[in-house]
Every structure is written in C-alpha cells, then in structure tokens.
Amino acid sequence: MLESQFVQCQLVLHLIEKEQFELVTISSNQQEYLLWRRHKRHTEIVHVSSTPFSWQQELERVVRLIEQNALRQLQQSLLFQKVSFYHVFLNERYLEQDWHEMSLEMPKHKKVQSSDVYVWHKEDQQDLARFFQEVKLKEPLSFTIQTQGLALSYEVTALQKRITDYHQQTLKDVQAVFQRAKPYMTYLLLAINLIMFFLLESNGGSTNTETLIDYGAKYNVAILDGEWWRILSSMFLHIGFVHLILNMLALYFIGTLVEGIYGNVRFTLIYFLSGIAGGLCSFAFSPSVGAGASGALFGLFGALLYFGLKKPNLFFQTIGANVLFIVAINVVFGFVVPQVDHGAHLGGLVGGFLVAAMVMLPKTKGFLWRIVATVIFLVYLAAILLFGLSNDRVQFDETMQILHVEQLQQEDNYSQMIDTVTQTLPHAEDYQAELLFLRSIAYVHTEDPDQAIRDLEQAVHLKSDFENGWYNLALLYHLEGQQEDALIAAEQLLGLNDQDESYLALYDDIRQEQESH
C-alpha cells in the first residue's frame, strides 16, 4: 500500500510541476486524485488512484462513477470541449486479468472522446510507460523506492502534505485573483447613476426627450456642434426606471467582479474608456437620442473575456460559461429588439477587451503588448469617429433633424433652419413633406415668399393629405395676390377637413377677395 501511494504522489507531483496539469480534487484519505489539463478544444482529465481493487466489474463501476462526478464538477469548464479520461490505478499485487486488453463496456458520456485505464504494480510497470506515451508527457518521470517500513511511511506523508499544501495554495491564489480590491468605484458609480436618475425625474422626467438632452444625453446634432462631452455624460443617464434597474443590477454584479479582478484603477479605466468607445459607436450608427451605461457595462464583459483569454482554465472553471452565455444573450437581444442600441453594446464590448489588454491583469508583465493594444484601441476609436462623421444617413436622419429644426424655430434661427433642411432633404425618405413645410416657414420669416410657396407646393405634392401644408399654401397665395391658386388650395383643404373654423374663415376671405375684383 505504501509503495503504491509513494508512486501515486510522485506521479501527481510530476503532472502538476512539469506537465501543466491542475489539481481538481483530493479524496479525504488521499488515495484518489483528479487532475486536468485544458487545450483549445480538448481537455485531458487524469484520475490517479491507489485504492485497492480486484475485479474488472468493480473497476468499471469506479471508472464511470469518477467520470460522471468529474463531468458534473467541471460542467461549466468543459463548455464545447471534448474530454479524454486517463485512469491510473496503482496496485501492489498481481491481478487476476490481463488489464492491458480490458475494454469498458458501459456507455460513455457524449462529451467523452476516449477513456483509458492503466494499472501499475511493482512487478509490471509497462502500463505506466504506456500512460506517459499516450498522454504525451514532455519530461520523463524517474524515481526509486529506496526506503521501506516507517521511513517510507514518513516519506509518503511528506509527499502527500506537499500535494495538499500545493492544492490549498492554489485555492488561495484563485480566491486572491477575484479579491484584489474592494469595489469602491462600483459603489461610487452606482450612487452617481441613481442621483442623476432622480434629478431627471424631478426636472421633467427621465423619458422626456428634452430633459434628457438638457442633462447631457447623446444627441448627435449637439455633438456635431461641438458638445463632445455628451459621449461621457450620457453614460450616467437612464431612460425610465426599468432601464435604470437592469443596468444597475448588471453594474453591481459585473462591476464588483471586474473591480475585484483588475483593481480600482484598472477597473476605472476599463469602465470609462469602453463607455466612450460605446458612446462613439452609438454616435456613428444610431441617430436616436441615447443614454445609459450599457456601453461601459459591455466593456466590463469585454474585460472578462480578456481575462478568459489570459487565464482560460481559471475562467472556465469559475465564471466562463455564465459570462459567455450572458454576452451571447445580450448581443442577440440587441439585434432582435429595435430599441436596443446594439452599436453601443458591441462598441463597448470590443473597447473593454482592448482596454483590458492595455492595462493588463495585475502582476502581469508585457510593456510591448500594452503599447500594441493602446495603438489598436486608438485606431479603433479613430475609425469609429471618422465613420460616424461621414455617415450622413445617421447624422442627417430625418426624424432627429426635424427635432433639431423645431428647436431652431423656437430660437428664431431661420437661416440655420434653411441650411439644416437643405442638408437633410437628400437623405430623407418618409418626412420630406414635413421638412419642406418647416423650411417654408423659415423662408417666410426671411422674406422669401416665392421660395416658401415652391416648398409648400412640393410638400403637398408629396403628401396630398397634408392639412397644414395646404393651409399655409392657400394663405401665402392669398397674401401674394394669387387668388385663383389660393381658392384651389383652400378647396383642397376643405376637402380634407370642412369642420375647422380657421379653414372656413380662410376660404371665405379668399372668396370675398376674389369677388371684389
């Protein structure tokens, strides 16, 4: 028994120290060890046992039980992975059967690609050599059992303690990875977002577009006028209570996790820089007034994906499957639901990954890679910005430009109204008539009634049931002395609505003017 345990300890230590295997579990009596080593699409799991056995049926039962428990324990870690099991049994006495030719007849789990059994005893070590060959160990394992009795017992105990100490230290190291810092910045960001939400609610409402714009929402028209700070300020505004709660829950759970992994300063850089990347993507791809921390939150997901790239075993053993699932669901949700700003989501996700590569994980060296990641991130931002500035379909979106023109009208800025409508019309599809109507108002105030009439004529041609267009056109014809055209326009207006008193009054004025001549 002691010799088997000695060989077992030597083998386990060799796999850990020389072959990059990680220890998963140790049995209470230290006769069972489970180790794993992960490749890109394949995982090797080694089970090393010094528990005595004698019958093949018992061995089959133990093997399948070990495999079921291992797959259950490593379920998240084995996402999309195929698994090869290697069962090494160490036994000091001769066995009744030829174990080299043993085949396991019980059905395997669908993830198990292969399952091999190796049996060692001191008179026959060829199975151990076969194990070294099939697992493709890089370094040979050599040892001699020089002591017996009490001395060997002491040596086995020392080796077992060495393995236990290693396992405990590994668990402490894993825990330390997620607890590098207290989540102070996460709590501060939560407080700022909540304060801003209550400010919005008490000054017009968080779903009021004008209030959102006044408090710094992403508004492309204003950004193009130089208010680039809106890319940052919009990260702290939310549209409605549901939007706020969903984002704050995500910030609490994901923020505390990322801040624990990266530390306070790195977390702050990841959050704000990925938020800026998401805001720029929203500016480039979405014309709507935008607000929310989604870009920054997806940046935190990007940072977790970078963590998974650098520490894949730890990532998949702890949070990997959940992170990938949440990211996938949110990306799909963003493309399916029209109201979701998936440009901000994807922009923040990529930005967070690149910023994480810039700042790197704590206690990680790689100055050159930081420089490369920084250059890539800056190029990424520049590319988004240049695309956004040249994306006329977004920047001259007719819905948002109508809102802008109406604001200019309130400010009596009629020359800017004319310029804005003129720039927007080539990109308009559904609201050309409304844009022409607004420009006609500006032409009237700039004393160009002929151009105003031309715009109104085109507007009612495009939209024959445009009551305001027909009314203003009839009124302008009337004021310019074109009574026949005014009467035709007034009749068209009454054909749409003969109950409005202002329409009837205008029609009577035109008839009277025409009859007087």
Side-chain angles (χ1 to χ4, degrees):
M1 183 67 178
L2 286 175
E3 292 183 356
S4 296
Q5 290 182 322
F6 177 82
V7 175
Q8 180 184 41
C9 291
Q10 292 286 357
L11 176 58
V12 169
L13 286 169
H14 180 80
L15 293 175
I16 292 171
E17 297 174 348
K18 303 295 184 181
E19 304 296 340
Q20 288 76 52
F21 276 85
E22 294 183 15
L23 191 56
V24 180
T25 57
I26 306 173
S27 66
S28 58
N29 60 6
Q30 297 202 20
Q31 292 182 5
E32 304 284 339
Y33 294 91
L34 196 68
L35 306 96
W36 78 324
R37 182 171 66 180
R38 182 186 177 91
H39 300 288
K40 290 182 179 179
R41 295 297 304 275
H42 184 255
T43 294
E44 296 171 323
I45 299 178
V46 176
H47 164 228
V48 185
S49 172
S50 60
T51 303
F53 65 91
S54 56
W55 298 287
Q56 176 175 346
Q57 292 176 345
E58 180 185 353
L59 181 64
E60 289 180 346
R61 181 185 62 79
V62 170
V63 164
R64 291 302 176 227
L65 183 61
I66 290 293
E67 291 183 0
Q68 289 172 7
N69 290 338
L71 292 171
R72 189 180 303 113
Q73 182 176 354
L74 299 173
Q75 183 177 4
Q76 291 188 352
S77 308
L78 299 175
L79 188 67
F80 307 127
Q81 294 269 305
K82 288 295 184 180
V83 181
S84 292
F85 276 98
Y86 303 90
H87 301 271
V88 181
F89 293 90
L90 302 117
N91 201 307
E92 295 182 9
R93 55 193 176 84
Y94 286 107
L95 302 178
E96 301 168 0
Q97 300 183 20
D98 185 2
W99 296 98
H100 307 140
E101 299 178 358
M102 191 194 87
S103 61
L104 300 176
E105 299 178 357
M106 295 175 66
K108 295 186 298 185
H109 190 279
K110 61 182 179 180
K111 293 185 74 67
V112 178
Q113 192 172 51
S114 62
S115 182
D116 295 294
V117 172
Y118 311 87
V119 179
W120 172 94
H121 53 83
K122 56 185 177 181
E123 272 76 21
D124 184 2
Q125 301 186 19
Q126 61 177 325
D127 258 20
L128 200 57
R130 183 167 63 90
F131 167 73
F132 294 160
Q133 182 179 6
E134 292 181 359
V135 183
K136 298 179 181 178
L137 300 185
K138 298 177 181 178
E139 298 187 26
L141 170 62
S142 61
F143 59 87
T144 56
I145 307 175
Q146 297 179 343
T147 58
Q148 296 293 330
L150 190 58
L152 181 59
S153 177
Y154 285 146
E155 192 165 355
V156 168
T157 301
L159 290 172
Q160 288 177 338
K161 184 177 185 305
R162 187 173 155 193
I163 295 172
T164 303
D165 290 345
Y166 174 86
H167 187 52
Q168 291 176 346
Q169 185 59 48
T170 300
L171 294 177
K172 289 180 181 178
D173 292 342
V174 169
Q175 190 175 18
V177 167
F178 296 97
Q179 296 179 351
R180 297 189 188 278
K182 297 291 184 180
Y184 297 127
M185 280 303 302
T186 299
Y187 296 149
L188 178 60
L189 290 168
L190 284 167
I192 295 173
N193 279 281
L194 291 172
I195 290 170
M196 292 305 301
F197 180 77
F198 288 117
L199 278 175
L200 289 176
E201 286 296 313
S202 60
N203 290 276
S206 62
T207 58
N208 184 286
T209 301
E210 292 185 6
T211 302
L212 287 167
I213 292 173
D214 290 342
Y215 274 80
K218 188 222 74 171
Y219 180 38
N220 286 17
V221 172
I223 291 173
L224 289 171
D225 285 340
E227 296 180 5
W228 291 95
W229 49 268
R230 290 180 177 273
I231 298 293
L232 190 63
S233 62
S234 61
M235 294 166 53
F236 297 97
L237 306 178
H238 289 84
I239 305 172
F241 186 71
V242 174
H243 188 208
L244 173 77
I245 290 299
L246 291 176
N247 274 1
M248 292 306 97
L249 286 173
L251 176 57
Y252 176 76
F253 289 108
I254 304 302
T256 53
L257 176 61
V258 174
E259 192 166 3
I261 294 173
Y262 284 88
N264 307 117
V265 175
R266 288 180 173 86
F267 167 81
T268 303
L269 289 172
I270 292 168
Y271 187 88
F272 281 98
L273 291 179
S274 59
I276 290 171
L280 284 176
C281 275
S282 179
F283 165 77
F285 294 99
S286 173
S288 302
V289 172
S294 299
L297 292 174
F298 267 78
L300 300 183
F301 282 121
L304 290 177
L305 294 179
Y306 177 79
F307 171 70
L309 178 69
K310 303 304 291 184
K311 294 185 178 293
N313 286 358
L314 181 58
F315 177 74
F316 284 102
Q317 194 172 352
T318 53
I319 60 175
N322 291 333
V323 170
L324 293 177
F325 178 76
I326 293 172
V327 170
I329 288 295
N330 278 274
V331 170
V332 172
F333 184 76
F335 281 102
V336 171
V337 180
Q339 292 82 5
V340 175
D341 192 346
H342 56 266
H345 290 183
L346 294 178
L349 183 70
V350 175
F353 183 89
L354 292 175
V355 177
M358 285 168 50
V359 300
M360 303 188 74
L361 292 166
K363 299 181 181 180
T364 303
K365 296 181 180 179
F367 179 75
L368 180 59
W369 283 113
R370 290 188 179 190
I371 296 299
V372 172
T374 302
V375 171
I376 294 174
F377 179 70
L378 293 175
V379 170
Y380 172 64
L381 292 185
I384 296 171
L385 178 59
L386 290 174
F387 177 80
L389 292 172
S390 62
N391 190 1
D392 290 343
R393 184 174 182 180
V394 167
Q395 306 312 338
F396 291 102
D397 174 78
E398 53 193 323
T399 304
M400 298 310 301
Q401 290 300 331
I402 286 175
L403 176 63
H404 179 43
V405 171
E406 289 174 345
Q407 289 178 326
L408 293 172
Q409 182 182 357
Q410 293 175 3
E411 299 168 2
D412 296 332
N413 192 347
Y414 299 112
S415 61
Q416 184 63 42
M417 281 180 66
I418 294 170
D419 292 341
T420 301
V421 172
T422 303
Q423 289 177 305
T424 305
L425 277 171
H427 310 284
E429 297 177 356
D430 300 319
Y431 299 105
Q432 287 180 319
E434 287 78 1
L435 286 165
L436 288 164
F437 175 79
L438 289 169
R439 190 170 67 174
S440 72
I441 294 174
Y443 278 130
V444 169
H445 283 87
T446 57
E447 299 182 356
D448 191 350
D450 292 338
Q451 186 60 56
I453 288 173
R454 283 193 289 272
D455 277 355
L456 288 170
E457 288 174 341
Q458 189 176 354
V460 296
H461 175 73
L462 291 169
K463 188 176 180 180
S464 58
D465 59 348
F466 193 0
E467 291 185 23
N468 288 340
W470 283 113
Y471 179 84
N472 281 13
L473 182 60
L475 182 59
L476 275 177
Y477 280 145
H478 178 52
L479 294 174
E480 293 298 310
Q482 303 177 39
Q483 302 307 324
E484 291 185 6
D485 292 330
L487 185 60
I488 294 172
E491 290 172 348
Q492 289 287 340
L493 179 62
L494 292 178
L496 295 172
N497 184 356
D498 59 2
Q499 302 300 316
D500 191 295
E501 293 183 0
S502 61
Y503 296 174
L504 293 170
L506 176 62
Y507 178 77
D508 291 339
D509 288 344
I510 295 171
R511 286 291 302 270
Q512 291 175 9
E513 183 69 23
Q514 190 177 35
E515 290 173 359
S516 66
H517 288 79

